[in-house]
Amino acid sequence: MTSSVIYMLATVCLLKYSHVLSHQYWTVGELRSYRIKLLCLLAVLVFTAGMIYFFYIHKIYCTPRAFSYFSFCEYWICISNMGFHASSFYEFPDHQLMLGRKPSSEQDVVARKES
C-alpha cells in the first residue's frame, strides 16, 4: 500500500514538473491523463484515511457496520488504483495494443485464410 501511494505521488509530481521545467504545453490527452491520475491519487489518500479510521473504530469500539465501511473504502482504493493505471490510455493516442498468437507454420496461415 505504501509503495503504491509513493509510486502514484512520484508519477503525478514527475508529470507536473517535467512540463513545468521544460516549458512544454500539455496535449489534450496528457492533461486528461494527469487530471485522472491526480484525482485517483487524492481518492486513494482519502479512502486510506477512511479505512484507517473505520478499522480503529471496529477494533476499539466494535461499532456495527464499521468493518463494512472499512471494506467499502478498501474497494474504492482498488478502483482508484485501476483508474490511475488505465489513464495511461490517454497518453498514447496513436498506439494500439494487439494480442494474439503467432502462427507456427504456413499450414496455420492457409487454414485461417480458408475458414
Side-chain angles (χ1 to χ4, degrees):
M1 175 78 185
T2 305
S3 61
S4 175
V5 172
I6 291 171
Y7 169 77
M8 292 172 127
L9 186 61
T11 301
V12 168
C13 289
L14 286 173
L15 279 174
K16 176 71 174 178
Y17 292 113
S18 66
H19 282 81
V20 169
L21 296 176
S22 65
H23 304 291
Q24 291 180 347
Y25 292 106
W26 295 86
T27 65
V28 174
E30 289 172 338
L31 186 59
R32 183 176 290 156
S33 176
Y34 172 75
R35 287 180 177 165
I36 292 171
K37 284 182 185 335
L38 184 61
L39 180 68
C40 289
L41 172 63
L42 294 175
V44 165
L45 294 175
V46 167
F47 285 115
T48 299
M51 197 170 71
I52 291 169
Y53 172 75
F54 290 121
F55 182 77
Y56 176 78
I57 295 297
H58 171 72
K59 279 296 198 187
I60 301 301
Y61 301 111
C62 295
T63 305
R65 294 183 302 278
F67 199 73
S68 297
Y69 296 141
F70 169 86
S71 299
F72 175 80
C73 291
E74 191 174 27
Y75 277 112
W76 276 102
I77 288 172
C78 293
I79 291 169
S80 298
N81 193 4
M82 288 185 281
F84 184 90
H85 293 291
S87 68
S88 297
F89 169 79
Y90 296 111
E91 296 173 19
F92 304 104
D94 300 333
H95 292 78
Q96 292 182 350
L97 177 63
M98 296 175 54
L99 301 174
R101 178 174 72 91
K102 184 177 178 182
S104 59
S105 67
E106 288 183 26
Q107 292 176 349
D108 288 344
V109 174
V110 172
R112 287 186 186 155
K113 285 183 181 178
E114 290 175 356
S115 59

